[in-house]
């Protein structure tokens, strides 16, 4: 009997920019619906593929039916990925200008690629079985009855005898009600400590209580830095829906853990997925709510492969799934802020405002500015700040000091001959780390022992210039050396123990689990002064910190990156929010800023806790300069052995626009709206002996930019094959880049 074979289009992961494309043709004895996971032969090996729409025009490969290979097998037991997931992938690939196979396969858990069909099935049934076992926890008779019955909380409490929900403040209740009855997308603009997380919790609970199959996704910038959030979701929902109902998805998990979470979400067993940006591509067949916490955080933008913005994709996905989307922040990105202007002015997001802090501490910390022009020339700590820190420590309160530069000193220098600790492979200096006496390049990783003497002239007196967190910690410990911790007097130490200064940054937390330990020490009160980078400014709920100081934040005011002030403002606001969380200490909370420009509008807005004022001023500048959100941008980056080769390739691709594309029929209109700037070296132009260049493309119209990029991509591929492209190592497009 002759077997009837069906042709399938299958997405596979092919090497970037490979000529075969990422949609290949295979045959199969049965017709498989799009979204089915299959194993297919590719070259000498077998690989994971996703059956895609039979759009033969897309597919490449053998056209001779006799030579089309058969698929290797189907991953039985995993339902096909649904149409909405497929649309999300198609959109992301198109918008971010990447091969669709690359985006689709990168969206799946890595371990799926390696497992055979039977192995996957075994894991799947195990995941579902665990879920069935823990899904319905029996209500214990000792559970208290739900209390507040008039509160909004009571309306969504399934009444299964759980601990009562906190009664919402009027602001929170209004926001929860609005999210419930309106369409969105929503931008929740809430001060630090205004209870945004509680709003997320109750929105999620509402959605899940209403529909027994509903799923919700909650995204956070970096899950390792927010274990408290994960904990709050577990505490709230595990008693209601069982341990299997809450799963995480982030890069800190092992491959088996990720697969398990992914399968649980895909099977609908997981009701809540907590994750970092990668979670945006998870398969959630009944997704009804997406929360993006700290939506302004740059880590939602991917820096490799498809350079997608998980926040922007969340809004798109919300539309696809008819799911509500809530973006939350105390300092929204200017893009989201602008999109949430009044509808009459063209706004598309609904802005929800929670200006008040929850609890007894109503007021926000006081911001103090120190004019460094009136301080001794090389002072790191001004006298007023140092005295304030001493006073806090003396009465048992904690301080937090931050500086956005790790290491001991950014450069070592020989005063005799002018030698500096440049990295031989990068256009950057190697940073001096005193703790292990190394010079480390923060760009290529090159690490060497500090030379005993100047490598060029032999002078033994080489000195550090500038300072990083390590030196700040050392310096501060010296300045506080004569202080004793209150209440530590003993016979052994009649005067008490010395003050403890600790540091948290990427260097101290390199080992897994060390961050948790260090944070615990701060919480336990074992640390008096905490020094660190922006890592400590984010999200942690330090109860006994009453003073936060930024010792040298001015750099961002003069940066060439137009987003630097926005980032600085949000970082300082966040840091401010760290102070005075404890009700008893709240009124003493202060944020100190040392600056040579203390009256700069950014600091004035910060002093007034005035994000809207800051945003209005920034948006006005951006509008005058036609910068995002008033224009759309893309960058093309090229790496090559020489800067000439990298720029030459980009400039040749740019020349092709005016030489060839202008002659294409119907393209004049699109091209007239797109500006291509000449190629320039990147900020750090050489890293690990590779020269890097970039070209900015700008348009007042997002649509025009999208059309242009779609058409220009094949031109870039073609130029790569000409002599101008021969020496290029790699190139990539970054749509809506965050760093220019
Ligand atoms: P945000 O996320 O806006 O910084 P949180 O949701 O973390 O704020 O809330 C700050 C603190 O206030 C938390 O300790 C939280 O438990 C508490 N909280 C939030 N909402 C309420 C409420 N309605 N009643 C009592 N406490 C609340
Ligand atoms: Zn020298
Ligand atoms: Zn280097």
């Amino acid at each position: 009997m002759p077997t009837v074979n069906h042709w399938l289009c299958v997405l596979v992961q092919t090497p970037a920019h490979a000529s075969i494309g990422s949609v290949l043709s295979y045959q199969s004895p049965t017709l498989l619906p799009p979204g089915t996971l299959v194993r297919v032969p590719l070259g000498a090996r077998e690989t994971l593929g996703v059956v895609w729409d039979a759009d033969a025009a897309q597919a490449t490969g053998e056209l001779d039916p006799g030579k089309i290979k058969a698929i290797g097998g189907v991953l039985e037991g995993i339902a096909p990925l649904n149409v909405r997931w497929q649309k999300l992938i198609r959109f992301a690939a198109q918008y971010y200008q990447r091969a669709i196979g690359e985006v689709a396969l990168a969206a799946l858990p890595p371990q799926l690629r390696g497992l055979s069909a039977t192995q996957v099935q075994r894991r799947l049934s195990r995941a579902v079985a665990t879920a069935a076992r823990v899904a319905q926890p029996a209500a214990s008779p000792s559970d208290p009855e739900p209390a507040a019955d008039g509160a909004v909380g009571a309306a969504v409490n399934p009444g299964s005898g759980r601990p009562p929900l906190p009664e919402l403040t009027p602001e929170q209740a209004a926001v929860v009600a609005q999210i419930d009855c309106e369409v969105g997308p929503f931008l929740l603009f809430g001060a630090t400590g205004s209870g945004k997380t509680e709003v997320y919790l109750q929105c999620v609970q509402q959605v899940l209580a209403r529909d027994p199959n509903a799923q919700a996704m909650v995204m956070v910038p970096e899950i390792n830095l927010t274990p408290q959030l994960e904990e709050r979701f577990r505490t709230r929902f595990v008693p209601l829906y069982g341990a299997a109902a809450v799963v995480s998805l982030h890069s800190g998990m092992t491959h088996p853990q990720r697969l398990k979470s992914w399968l649980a979400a895909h099977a609908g067993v997981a009701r809540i997925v907590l994750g970092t940006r990668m979670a945006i591509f998870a398969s959630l067949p009944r997704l009804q709510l997406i929360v993006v916490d700290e939506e302004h955080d740059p880590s939602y933008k991917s820096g490799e492969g498809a350079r997608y913005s998980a926040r922007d994709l969340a809004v798109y996905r919300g539309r696809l799934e008819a799911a509500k989307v809530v973006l939350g922040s105390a300092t929204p990105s200017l893009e989201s802020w602008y999109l949430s202007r009044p509808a009459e002015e063209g706004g598309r997001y609904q802005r929800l405002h929670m200006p008040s802090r929850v609890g007894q501490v109503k007021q926000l910390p006081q911001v103090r500015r120190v004019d460094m022009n009136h301080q001794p020339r090389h002072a790191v700590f001004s006298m007023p700040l140092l005295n304030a820190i001493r006073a806090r420590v003396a009465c048992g309160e904690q301080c937090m000091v931050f500086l956005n530069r790790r290491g001991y000193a950014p450069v070592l220098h020989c005063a005799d001959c002018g030698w500096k600790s440049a990295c031989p492979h990068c256009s950057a200096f190697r940073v001096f780390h005193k703790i292990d006496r190394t010079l480390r390049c923060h760009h290529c990783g090159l690490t060497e022992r500090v030379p005993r003497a100047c490598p060029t002239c032999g002078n033994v007196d080489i000195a550090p210039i500038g300072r990083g967190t390590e030196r700040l910690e050392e310096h501060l410990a010296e300045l506080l050396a004569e202080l004793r911790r209150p209440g530590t007097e003993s016979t052994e130490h009649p005067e008490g123990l010395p003050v403890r200064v600790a540091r948290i940054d990427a260097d101290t937390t390199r080992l897994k689990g060390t961050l948790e330990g260090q944070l615990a020490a701060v919480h336990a009160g074992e640390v008096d002064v905490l020094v660190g980078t922006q890592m400590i400014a984010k999200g942690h709920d330090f109860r006994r910190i009453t003073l936060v100081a930024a010792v040298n934040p001015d750099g961002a005011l003069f940066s060439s990156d137009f987003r630097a002030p926005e980032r600085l403002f949000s970082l300082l606001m966040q840091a401010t929010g760290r102070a005075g969380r404890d009700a008893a200490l709240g009124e003493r909370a202060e944020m100190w800023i040392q600056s040579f420009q203390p009256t700069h509008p950014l600091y004035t807005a910060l002093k007034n806790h005035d994000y809207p004022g800051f945003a209005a001023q920034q948006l006005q500048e951006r509008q005058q300069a036609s910068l995002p959100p008033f224009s759309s941008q893309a960058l093309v980056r090229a790496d090559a052995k020489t800067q000439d080769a990298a720029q030459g390739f980009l400039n040749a691709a740019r020349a092709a626009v005016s030489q060839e594309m202008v002659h294409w029929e119907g393209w004049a209109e699109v091209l007239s709206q797109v500006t291509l700037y000449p190629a320039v070296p990147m900020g750090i132009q050489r890293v690990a002996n590779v020269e890097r260049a970039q070209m900015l493309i700008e348009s007042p119209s997002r649509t025009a930019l999208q059309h242009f990029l779609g058409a220009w991509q094949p031109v870039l591929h073609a130029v790569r094959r000409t002599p101008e492209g021969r020496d290029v190592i790699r190139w990539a497009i970054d749509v809506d880049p965050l760093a220019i």
Side-chain angles (χ1 to χ4, degrees):
M1 195 169 67
T3 47
V4 182
N5 267 352
H6 300 270
W7 284 33
L8 296 177
C9 286
V10 177
L11 301 187
V12 291
Q13 166 93 66
T14 48
H17 307 314
S19 57
I20 52 170
S22 65
V23 191
L24 304 182
S25 296
Y26 289 92
Q27 48 181 324
S28 154
T30 51
L31 190 59
L32 298 169
T36 307
L37 294 178
V38 290
R39 297 201 57 85
V40 291
L42 181 66
R45 64 204 170 97
E46 200 177 69
T47 185
L48 179 67
V50 184
V51 176
W52 214 239
D53 269 347
D55 181 354
Q58 266 189 342
T60 52
E62 283 295 345
L63 289 179
D64 178 351
K67 288 189 182 161
I68 292 185
K69 292 182 187 161
I71 63 162
V74 178
L75 296 194
E76 305 277 357
I78 301 187
L81 293 147
N82 68 26
V83 176
R84 298 180 301 284
W85 186 87
Q86 295 167 37
K87 282 188 177 158
L88 176 69
I89 297 298
R90 190 172 286 127
F91 173 80
Q94 194 172 36
Y95 188 86
Y96 294 104
Q97 308 290 327
R98 298 298 288 202
I100 188 161
E102 179 196 358
V103 176
L105 276 295
L108 297 170
Q111 210 182 17
L112 264 189
R113 267 171 247 168
L115 295 183
S116 73
T118 25
Q119 285 170 313
V120 167
Q121 211 169 3
R122 212 173 303 139
R123 264 157 239 254
L124 185 70
S125 51
R126 221 182 297 152
V128 173
T130 331
R133 227 177 20 251
V134 292
Q136 297 299 333
S140 135
S142 63
D143 279 354
E145 283 301 305
D149 51 356
V152 177
V156 296
N157 197 320
S160 50
R162 303 293 143 203
L165 301 176
E167 189 175 335
L168 295 179
T169 63
E171 276 177 14
Q172 287 174 319
V175 160
V176 169
Q178 253 183 300
I179 293 173
D180 186 39
C181 63
E182 288 169 37
V183 183
F186 303 94
L187 176 66
L188 174 52
F189 169 48
T192 45
S194 63
K196 293 185 290 298
T197 312
E198 187 59 42
V199 167
Y200 307 149
L201 285 160
Q202 300 222 8
C203 288
V204 168
Q205 191 158 345
Q206 239 168 15
V207 161
L208 299 192
R210 197 166 292 150
D211 172 352
N213 294 313
Q215 293 177 295
M217 173 151 70
V218 179
M219 289 204 284
V220 292
E222 288 153 85
I223 212 145
N224 291 323
L225 296 182
T226 48
Q228 287 169 7
L229 185 94
E230 204 177 337
E231 189 49 40
R232 279 172 79 177
F233 272 81
R234 290 197 180 278
T235 311
R236 187 68 58 91
F237 293 107
V238 167
L240 290 175
Y241 300 111
V246 186
V247 301
S248 302
L249 267 179
H250 58 84
S251 56
M253 295 163 64
T254 65
H255 285 181
Q257 287 170 331
R258 261 167 78 176
L259 178 63
K260 196 171 162 221
S261 291
W262 188 90
L263 288 172
H266 179 60
V269 171
R271 307 286 306 279
I272 301 164
V273 174
L274 293 173
T276 51
R277 65 166 181 259
M278 65 160 66
I280 192 59
F281 291 115
S283 162
L284 289 96
R286 306 287 182 103
L287 183 57
Q288 294 192 14
L289 173 68
I290 308 175
V291 173
V292 184
D293 189 26
E294 309 289 5
E295 66 89 32
H296 63 276
D297 197 291
S299 72
Y300 284 120
K301 177 92 160 106
S302 164
E304 58 193 24
R307 289 162 170 78
Y308 63 90
S309 157
R311 179 206 50 221
D312 295 348
L313 286 179
V315 174
Y316 180 84
R317 187 167 187 181
R319 261 204 316 270
L320 274 180
E321 309 261 3
K324 299 215 177 174
V325 177
V326 181
L327 313 178
S329 175
T331 52
S333 64
L334 287 173
E335 282 80 3
S336 298
W337 185 251
Y338 184 64
L339 280 165
S340 70
R341 67 196 183 278
E344 312 84 83
E345 293 167 28
R348 291 193 278 123
Y349 297 175
Q350 230 173 319
R351 191 184 293 169
L352 309 172
H353 195 190
M354 297 202 307
S356 320
R357 280 186 142 184
V358 179
Q360 289 106 317
V361 191
K362 292 294 178 217
Q363 87 223 49
L364 288 158
Q366 203 192 347
V367 176
R368 293 174 167 262
R369 294 168 289 182
V370 180
D371 188 344
M372 293 303 275
N373 296 297
H374 301 149
Q375 295 295 322
R377 242 172 72 82
H378 294 292
V380 180
F381 289 95
S382 60
M383 258 351 248
L385 174 58
L386 192 58
N387 288 337
I389 292 176
R390 285 191 174 124
R392 301 288 158 129
V393 172
C395 62
E397 292 168 20
Q398 294 174 303
C399 300
M400 188 166 107
V401 175
F402 84 95
L403 176 69
N404 244 349
R405 177 185 271 161
R406 65 194 167 85
Y408 188 83
V411 54
L412 274 189
H413 175 237
C414 166
D416 278 5
C417 75
W419 172 86
K420 284 182 174 168
S421 56
C423 174
H425 309 306
C426 304
S427 50
F429 292 115
R430 280 175 298 164
V431 174
F432 172 42
H433 289 256
K434 192 176 178 185
I435 194 157
D436 53 1
R437 301 210 56 84
T438 55
L439 285 177
R440 279 188 229 160
C441 174
H442 289 184
H443 301 280
C444 71
L446 177 71
T447 302
E448 282 174 353
R449 299 273 305 162
V450 170
R452 254 176 243 292
C454 170
T456 50
C457 77
N459 171 18
V460 288
D461 203 16
I462 46 179
I465 305 181
R467 59 193 72 226
T469 44
E470 194 187 340
R471 193 174 189 183
L472 200 66
E473 178 193 13
E474 181 186 273
H475 186 53
L476 198 53
E478 284 164 10
L479 292 171
L480 304 177
E482 80 286 8
L483 279 183
R484 290 290 171 270
R485 314 190 71 196
T488 57
E489 301 80 4
S490 64
T491 41
E492 209 174 327
H493 304 276
E495 283 165 5
L497 295 169
V499 163
R500 266 195 62 181
V501 179
R503 169 169 59 98
I504 295 186
D505 57 28
D507 295 318
T508 67
T509 57
R510 198 150 287 145
L511 295 174
K512 212 176 141 91
T514 48
L515 177 62
E516 284 76 6
Q518 291 171 345
L519 292 175
V522 181
H523 286 294
E526 290 161 23
V527 172
D528 303 293
V529 182
L530 178 62
V531 174
T533 53
Q534 58 178 5
M535 201 181 238
I536 57 172
K538 286 187 185 182
H540 305 292
D541 202 353
F542 298 126
R543 294 265 128 189
R544 290 181 52 242
I545 287 184
T546 61
L547 185 150
V548 177
V551 289
N552 184 16
D554 281 349
L557 303 178
F558 317 109
S559 167
S560 60
D561 179 350
F562 68 89
R563 283 194 177 84
E566 178 184 357
R567 275 198 301 271
L568 176 64
F569 187 85
S570 112
L571 189 65
L572 294 178
M573 270 297 249
Q574 289 232 8
T576 305
R578 296 308 109 220
R581 296 209 145 207
D582 192 311
L585 300 170
E587 296 186 352
R588 300 174 39 75
E590 286 178 353
M591 167 82 194
W592 286 66
I593 306 282
Q594 297 192 141
S595 170
F596 288 96
Q597 305 238 327
T599 56
H600 191 281
L602 189 150
Y603 297 133
T604 308
L606 185 77
K607 181 167 177 57
N608 300 326
H609 303 284
D610 181 16
Y611 170 80
F614 169 75
Q617 175 261 326
Q618 283 288 309
L619 283 174
Q620 194 183 6
E621 277 183 22
R622 299 246 189 123
Q623 186 160 30
Q624 277 159 6
S626 296
L627 290 168
F630 302 95
S631 66
S632 290
Q633 296 183 328
L635 277 183
V636 197
R637 301 209 165 103
D639 289 356
K641 276 280 161 228
T642 65
Q643 188 58 225
D644 275 354
Q647 289 189 24
F649 163 70
L650 295 174
N651 286 328
R654 176 172 178 250
V657 178
S658 44
Q659 284 157 13
E660 297 165 30
M661 289 176 76
V662 281
H663 304 303
W664 296 0
E665 213 184 309
W667 275 81
E669 172 72 22
V670 169
L671 292 179
S672 73
Q673 295 185 69
V674 176
T675 309
L676 283 80
Y677 293 90
V680 291
M682 283 181 64
I684 310 263
Q685 76 170 64
R686 187 166 51 99
V687 169
N689 288 325
V690 170
E691 290 284 342
R692 314 183 309 161
Q694 66 182 30
M695 178 179 281
L696 176 65
I697 303 132
E698 214 170 56
S699 172
S701 155
R702 182 178 299 270
T703 320
L705 182 66
Q706 278 290 315
H707 278 146
F708 169 74
L709 292 175
W712 192 42
Q713 240 210 84
V715 175
L716 278 156
H717 282 290
V719 173
R720 174 79 191 272
R721 291 190 290 270
T722 67
E724 274 99 347
R726 202 182 39 219
D727 294 329
V728 169
I729 299 166
R730 61 185 90 80
W731 63 274
I733 298 181
D734 186 348
V735 181
D736 303 331
L738 277 190
I740 298 211

